[in-house]
Amino acid sequence: MNFLQRFQQGLLEMLASSSGGGLSANKALVVAYSGGLDSHVLLHACESVGLPVRAIHIHHGLQTEADAWVEHCRRVCRQLSVELTVLTVDARARARQSPEDAARIARYAALTGAMQPDEVLLTAQHADDQAETLLLQLLRGAGAAGLAAMPRRQRKHGVMHLRPLLPFTRETLGDYARQQSLDWIEDPSNDDIAFDRNYLRCRVLPVLKQRWPEVDHSFSVAAQLQQENLEVLEAMAAVDLAGASTQRETVLSLTAMKSLSAARQMNLLRYWLKRQGKQPTRKILLEIRHAVIDAADDASPLVTFDDIEIRRFRQQLYLLPLPAEFDSRQVIPWPPEAPLTIEPLALQLHRGKPAVTASPGLAAARRQRPLQVRFRQGGEYFRPAGHQHRQSLKKLFLQADIPPWERDRIPLIYDGDEMIAVAGYWLAQDACCQTGEEGWRIELAPAAIANEARGNNNQT
C-alpha cells in the first residue's frame, strides 16, 4: 500500500475503535495546522481521501514571522477548500515552566476549547517525534507515564485526540510532501539546538540511526510497552483513589494515603492530578510527598506548579487553583437588595429565600440600610445566633474546620462598625429577625454558579 492507503486505513481503524461505530456522517476531523511539513501532510491526506475536515491554526506570537504564517495557512486552506479557524493565545511561560511546556499547554487549551461536539482532534506527531519524546523522558528520569510517550489515541477534557501519523517517519512524510508539491513553513526555531528536543533531533538521533537504522521502530515498541504498563498502574491507582476519596474530587484523605506504600502514594498522586488535567513531573510528585504529605501535623506546607497549589489541613490533601490577588483591607458598600460580586474572589453575595424561625434570617431593620463587606484583619469577636457568648473569629474558624488559606477571604458583613454576619457561615445573634418576622438569609456562592441560578429562577 502507498502512504495514502496506509494513512486512511490506520485512521479509520482508530476512529472505529474510538467511537465504536467509526466516522459518522456528522463527525468532523479537526487538524491542528501549524503550516509546517507534518501538519500540512496530515491536512492534505485527510482532504485527499475525502474525510470531513477543518483546520485550526494557533497563533502563539512567539516568532516575528507568526503573522506571515497565518496568511500562509489561510492561502493553503483556500486551495484545499478547507475551513480554517485562527486562534491567538498567550504562550508566555509561568514560574517553573519551560517555554516549550507553556506553548504546548496554551496550544492544547485553545484547541480543545474550540472543538465542537462530536469532533475529533488530529495532531501530526510522527515516529521521529515519538523517539525524541521517549529519549527526553529517559533523560529526565521519567516513570511509566513519561516513557509511554505519546499515545496514538486518548480522550482528554472530553475531546478525542488521535495521532494518525505516529507509524510514519519524518522521511516518509517528506517524500509524500515533495511528490504532491506541497508548500510548507520552516520554523527557524526547530534548528536551535539550545532546546533539548532540537538537540536530540539534530545531533543525537542521526548518530543512533547510523548504528541502529530501525531505532525509530524500536522506540515506538518501547513506548507501546510502557503504555501497557501504565494501564496496569492506573487501574491500581483507581482502586487507591476510591479508598482515599472524599466528598470533593479535589480533596484526598491523608489517612488513607499514608496507609499505602511510597510507590503507591506516588502512583495515586500522579493519577489524581492527571484526572484534574495536570501532568506533574516526578520531581513535583516527590516534592508533594515529602513537603506536604510527610509534613508535621501543625505545619502549613504549600507546593505550587502550573496554575494550582497543593496544601494540607486536618489530614486532608487539597488541590486548589492559584488564588487571585486581592486587597483584604478594602471596604465594599453593599445595598443588600442587590447581589454583590466580589471580582478578585469570584464570589457573589446575594439575598436568599426567606428564613424560618428554626433558621434565623437577617432582621428587616438591618437590611433597610446599606451594609459593608470587609475581610478579617485579626482580633475580631463575634456571637453567632444560638451561641451564649462572643468568641474570637479565629476560634470560630478553627472549630468549624475552615482551612487557614480560606479564612482571610471570607466576606464579613458589617452594619456600621458592628459585624452582623460571616458570609456562608453565621449570622449574629443581635442581627436576627424576631419570632414571626420574615428574615433574609445571606448566601455566598461562586459568582458563575450564582448568576446561573438567578437566571434559571428568572425563567420560572
Side-chain angles (χ1 to χ4, degrees):
M1 291 190 293
N2 61 27
F3 168 76
L4 270 183
Q5 291 170 328
R6 292 171 58 203
F7 168 80
Q8 183 179 25
Q9 177 178 312
L11 178 54
L12 291 179
E13 287 176 354
M14 293 170 70
L15 287 165
S17 62
S18 300
S19 62
L23 185 63
S24 61
N26 63 343
K27 181 177 292 186
L29 305 177
V30 179
V31 170
Y33 178 44
S34 69
L37 168 66
D38 310 333
S39 61
H40 194 159
V41 168
L42 177 58
L43 184 63
H44 187 273
C46 287
E47 193 277 335
S48 296
V49 298
L51 295 173
V53 64
R54 69 183 183 97
I56 296 179
H57 175 81
I58 304 298
H59 187 319
H60 297 89
L62 299 176
Q63 300 283 350
T64 56
E65 304 92 339
D67 291 336
W69 294 348
V70 171
E71 293 308 313
H72 169 89
C73 292
R74 285 177 173 151
R75 176 172 54 80
V76 169
C77 287
R78 283 195 299 269
Q79 292 171 353
L80 295 174
S81 298
V82 169
E83 175 192 342
L84 174 67
T85 300
V86 177
L87 303 175
T88 301
V89 300
D90 179 1
R92 290 174 295 183
R94 297 187 178 93
R96 302 180 67 176
Q97 190 178 52
S98 70
E100 302 98 315
D101 284 345
R104 175 181 53 79
I105 291 169
R107 180 167 60 253
Y108 279 106
L111 286 168
T112 55
M115 299 288 289
Q116 300 298 318
D118 210 32
E119 286 186 326
V120 176
L121 176 64
L122 305 185
T123 56
Q125 293 92 350
H126 47 70
D128 296 69
D129 293 323
Q130 186 77 305
E132 294 162 11
T133 300
L134 182 62
L135 279 174
L136 278 173
Q137 296 296 344
L138 278 169
L139 293 169
R140 292 169 180 169
L147 297 179
M150 297 179 291
R152 291 191 68 188
R153 179 181 66 251
Q154 65 181 144
R155 181 174 291 277
K156 192 172 183 180
H157 303 306
V159 173
M160 180 55 68
H161 177 192
L162 306 181
R163 296 181 173 93
L165 298 184
L166 278 183
F168 304 98
T169 64
R170 183 181 289 113
E171 181 180 5
T172 299
L173 302 186
D175 290 343
Y176 175 82
R178 285 183 287 272
Q179 290 167 7
Q180 300 296 323
S181 300
L182 302 186
D183 179 22
W184 63 87
I185 292 167
E186 292 288 359
D187 184 347
S189 68
N190 287 338
D191 296 325
D192 184 356
I193 60 173
F195 295 105
D196 292 341
R197 181 178 289 275
N198 292 346
Y199 184 84
L200 290 173
R201 180 188 306 127
C202 299
R203 297 290 179 85
V204 176
L205 278 169
V207 176
L208 292 177
K209 288 180 181 180
Q210 288 178 1
R211 180 63 182 256
W212 297 282
E214 299 298 319
V215 67
D216 288 335
H217 174 71
S218 298
F219 284 159
S220 294
V221 171
Q224 179 60 42
L225 292 173
Q226 290 300 322
Q227 287 172 18
E228 293 172 5
N229 291 339
L230 182 60
E231 289 180 10
V232 175
L233 291 172
E234 292 195 337
M236 175 60 72
V239 173
D240 290 339
L241 179 60
S245 293
T246 66
Q247 294 180 343
R248 296 164 58 184
E249 64 178 9
T250 55
V251 181
L252 293 182
S253 164
L254 279 176
T255 302
M257 287 196 71
K258 289 181 176 180
S259 69
L260 303 174
S261 67
R264 286 176 68 174
Q265 286 182 23
M266 294 280 284
N267 189 44
L268 172 55
L269 270 177
R270 185 200 58 77
Y271 181 70
W272 178 56
L273 292 169
K274 180 183 177 181
R275 286 171 59 90
Q276 307 304 319
K278 303 303 173 186
Q279 294 180 307
T281 63
R282 180 172 176 79
K283 181 179 179 181
I284 291 291
L285 293 176
L286 285 169
E287 185 176 358
I288 294 171
R289 185 161 68 84
H290 293 315
V292 182
I293 295 176
D294 294 340
D297 290 342
D298 59 349
S300 299
L302 168 66
V303 171
T304 63
F305 76 100
D306 287 351
D307 57 351
I308 64 168
E309 57 184 27
I310 307 294
R311 294 179 178 269
R312 62 172 285 170
F313 177 66
R314 298 283 172 88
Q315 294 303 310
Q316 290 190 321
L317 189 70
Y318 291 77
L319 183 154
L320 304 161
L322 286 177
E325 293 184 4
F326 90 111
D327 183 5
S328 63
R329 297 167 299 178
Q330 64 184 312
V331 177
I332 307 172
W334 180 34
E337 291 283 354
L340 174 67
T341 299
I342 306 171
E343 294 289 351
L345 303 181
L347 294 174
Q348 188 176 89
L349 285 166
H350 62 97
R351 181 186 70 184
K353 296 179 180 179
V356 296
T357 305
S359 180
L362 185 65
R366 298 283 190 172
R367 62 181 187 259
Q368 289 172 357
R369 51 182 178 262
L371 304 176
Q372 293 180 340
V373 176
R374 305 181 191 178
F375 297 91
R376 188 169 74 124
Q377 304 298 306
E380 295 90 350
Y381 277 78
F382 184 71
R383 181 189 174 191
H387 287 225
Q388 295 297 317
H389 305 287
R390 297 168 70 232
Q391 290 181 279
S392 72
L393 195 57
K394 178 179 179 180
K395 186 174 182 179
L396 287 169
F397 283 161
L398 284 169
Q399 291 173 345
D401 283 344
I402 298 173
W405 58 87
E406 294 182 3
R407 297 170 190 170
D408 292 343
R409 292 172 169 258
I410 296 174
L412 310 178
I413 315 303
Y414 278 78
D415 181 3
D417 290 330
E418 180 187 1
M419 189 195 310
I420 62 171
V422 178
Y425 292 93
W426 306 287
L427 186 66
Q429 180 67 45
D430 294 340
C432 293
C433 58
Q434 300 299 314
T435 302
E437 178 188 0
E438 183 178 272
W440 284 356
R441 288 197 181 101
I442 296 177
E443 297 185 349
L444 180 67
I449 295 176
N451 288 332
E452 181 181 351
R454 285 203 319 281
N456 292 338
N457 290 337
N458 291 337
Q459 295 171 11
T460 57

